[in-house]
Amino acid sequence: MTKLDTYGLVVGLDGKRAVCNNTGLGNYSRYMLNIMSAAYPGTSFRLYSPVRRENDRLAPLLARDNIKLCVPSLKPDNGLTRAFWRTVDMPVSLRHDNVSLYHGLSNELPLSIKGVCPTVVTIHDLIYRRVPEDYTAVDRRLYDFKYGRSAKIATRVIAISECTKRDLMADYGIDENKIDVIYQGVDPIFSLHVDTAKRLEVKEKYKLPQRYIISVGTVQRRKNQMLMVRAMARLPKDVELIIVGRMDGAYADEVKAEISRLGLSDRIRHLQCIPFVDLPALYACATMSAYTSRYEGFGLPVAESLTVGTPVIACKGSCLEEAGGPGAVYLNPDDVDGCVNAARHLFDDLVYHDKLAGHGQRYVKRFSAEAFAKATMACYKKAIISELS
């Protein structure tokens, strides 16, 4: 589809996560808005959010001529009325605004969307079904209803990996011909060269050691940070583990207790709420990245790390091989011996380290902004044509 084909389209987007979340689904939403609005300046993008909130990473996007934030006047303005508007009342606004297509960016569509306009929903993962212990019974039932229904009623479904596509087909019976696998691109900030000045600034700011492993992600059972914690006890004493992400809850307490039991409190540190602009340098200064999750929809930290040139230790069993290709070492999620050996190999053999990093940097070029934009607009076109036929 050429740019000329897109002039005059009005695309409605689920804006809640872009406005309110600074990680995960928020990052995906802002990335999508950034890339699509730049690639298709003739298309209008209307971001529908139940609330207006200051967000430094969204603000520059809202300054673009083809992006508009649409927020309702809710009385009373509380969590219940916001949820009701987002799931039931929003389609009234979509119809009023003559939206050409609506895209649910975070697994769901409004309950009353059917018949209003063509729809696309991005399904990131079905982890609540694959790793149910990380969710309450109420949340599992709610997600099963909302996400399963959305995938079934959507005109088209975007899956962020082949793994998620397989899960959608197996769990909800979604026709494979209705699903487009479109990998989430890596934010352009990770493709910028991290120069010496930035490295020195970040090293000083966070008191980073000469040799460290970085692990980016919320500390939770599924993400399996315990594997690297236990491996650290058998790695050289000058090596530190830097965990970047939220760290609270029962599993985080278990991880902290294990760190204390192994006498690693001075070698494992936790960073939280770091500025996004510092993340590329935190990856780049590390010898390696560890993303040892048992199950993911895609595993964006793997691709981010490889983009800046830092190889990865990851786990088998879901989609991480799709994210890392030949730029990572893959282990069984309980293989402490394998984790220790992989880390030692990367520390001790610089030729192997650099070769793995080079393979990774070449591999992740497939997650480009251009590929993402073209595939997403092609999906929109198929959805619109399908509704017209």
Side-chain angles (χ1 to χ4, degrees):
M1 179 181 260
T2 66
K3 288 186 179 180
L4 289 175
D5 295 323
T6 70
Y7 271 75
L9 283 182
V10 180
V11 177
L13 301 169
D14 177 7
K16 177 186 174 184
R17 306 288 185 171
V19 171
C20 299
N21 292 50
N22 281 321
T23 60
L25 295 176
N27 287 339
Y28 174 84
S29 299
R30 287 183 294 272
Y31 175 85
M32 186 273 172
L33 187 62
N34 177 23
I35 299 306
M36 294 300 291
S37 62
Y40 300 99
T43 296
S44 296
F45 294 90
R46 301 180 70 93
L47 199 62
Y48 291 87
S49 171
V51 63
R52 186 186 301 272
R53 187 172 297 171
E54 291 298 319
N55 188 309
D56 291 342
R57 292 171 58 195
L58 180 62
L61 301 180
L62 296 179
R64 294 181 183 175
D65 291 339
N66 62 337
I67 297 177
K68 181 179 180 180
L69 178 62
C70 305
V71 181
S73 297
L74 300 175
K75 297 179 181 180
D77 184 0
N78 55 40
L80 184 61
T81 55
R82 291 172 189 171
F84 186 85
W85 176 84
R86 186 166 175 253
T87 57
V88 179
D89 279 354
M90 190 203 302
V92 176
S93 298
L94 300 178
R95 195 186 295 275
H96 177 268
D97 294 340
N98 293 315
V99 166
S100 310
L101 172 140
Y102 178 78
H103 184 174
L105 299 175
S106 53
N107 303 307
E108 62 183 301
L109 296 173
L111 291 175
S112 55
I113 191 72
K114 199 163 179 61
V116 173
C117 62
T119 55
V120 171
V121 64
T122 296
I123 302 293
H124 295 264
D125 58 68
L126 272 61
I127 293 172
Y128 54 93
R129 295 179 66 91
R130 293 293 179 275
V131 192
E133 59 270 21
D134 273 1
Y135 301 84
T136 66
V138 171
D139 281 345
R140 291 198 304 271
R141 286 194 291 271
L142 181 63
Y143 297 157
D144 235 351
F145 169 72
K146 290 200 302 183
Y147 302 169
R149 181 182 184 276
S150 296
K152 290 171 184 174
I153 68 169
T155 314
R156 302 287 307 172
V157 176
I158 292 174
I160 67 167
S161 67
E162 292 288 347
C163 178
T164 297
K165 178 180 178 178
R166 291 193 298 270
D167 288 349
L168 282 165
M169 293 165 60
D171 288 32
Y172 295 134
I174 307 301
D175 184 348
E176 65 176 322
N177 295 315
K178 177 178 162 175
I179 304 172
D180 296 307
V181 175
I182 303 177
Y183 291 113
Q184 178 177 349
V186 176
D187 192 285
I189 194 173
F190 293 95
S191 298
L192 300 176
H193 175 64
V194 183
D195 60 23
T196 301
K198 183 63 177 179
R199 289 171 186 255
L200 290 174
E201 174 196 332
V202 167
K203 279 192 170 185
E204 175 61 26
K205 182 176 182 179
Y206 298 105
K207 308 301 180 188
L208 300 174
Q210 186 64 31
R211 301 204 298 175
Y212 70 91
I213 301 166
I214 186 169
S215 176
V216 176
T218 301
V219 177
Q220 59 185 154
R221 197 170 303 280
R222 167 175 58 86
K223 292 189 181 292
N224 193 34
Q225 285 91 349
M226 194 73 83
L227 177 63
M228 185 51 68
V229 166
R230 288 172 175 158
M232 281 292 295
R234 293 161 54 187
L235 292 177
K237 288 184 169 48
D238 67 319
V239 172
E240 291 188 17
L241 174 63
I242 309 295
I243 298 174
V244 180
R246 196 172 73 250
M247 191 171 184
D248 51 43
Y251 181 71
D253 290 341
E254 292 176 30
V255 170
K256 292 172 186 176
E258 187 71 356
I259 291 170
S260 179
R261 186 186 72 82
L262 294 171
L264 296 171
S265 298
D266 59 338
R267 292 177 52 208
I268 298 179
R269 288 196 287 131
H270 172 232
L271 301 178
Q272 188 169 327
C273 299
I274 65 160
F276 190 67
V277 293
D278 288 348
L279 192 52
L282 282 166
Y283 279 123
C285 293
T287 304
M288 70 196 76
S289 175
Y291 199 66
T292 52
S293 183
R294 295 179 183 276
Y295 208 88
E296 292 294 331
F298 176 59
L300 188 58
V302 173
E304 291 172 345
S305 182
L306 295 179
T307 300
V308 303
T310 300
V312 179
I313 294 176
C315 284
K316 305 172 184 176
S318 58
C319 63
L320 298 184
E321 293 95 331
E322 291 182 63
V329 182
Y330 302 99
L331 316 165
N332 290 323
D334 297 306
D335 186 2
V336 178
D337 289 341
C339 190
V340 171
N341 292 335
R344 284 177 175 168
H345 196 182
L346 284 165
F347 278 123
D348 297 341
D349 190 338
L350 293 181
V351 173
Y352 169 72
H353 175 281
D354 292 347
K355 183 178 179 181
L356 200 66
H359 286 321
Q361 282 190 301
R362 288 189 289 276
Y363 177 81
V364 294
K365 287 180 179 178
R366 68 190 60 202
F367 306 133
S368 69
E370 181 181 8
F372 178 89
K374 286 182 176 178
T376 302
M377 187 54 78
C379 176
Y380 289 175
K381 184 177 181 181
K382 284 187 282 188
I384 293 170
I385 290 173
S386 175
E387 290 287 326
L388 291 174
S389 60

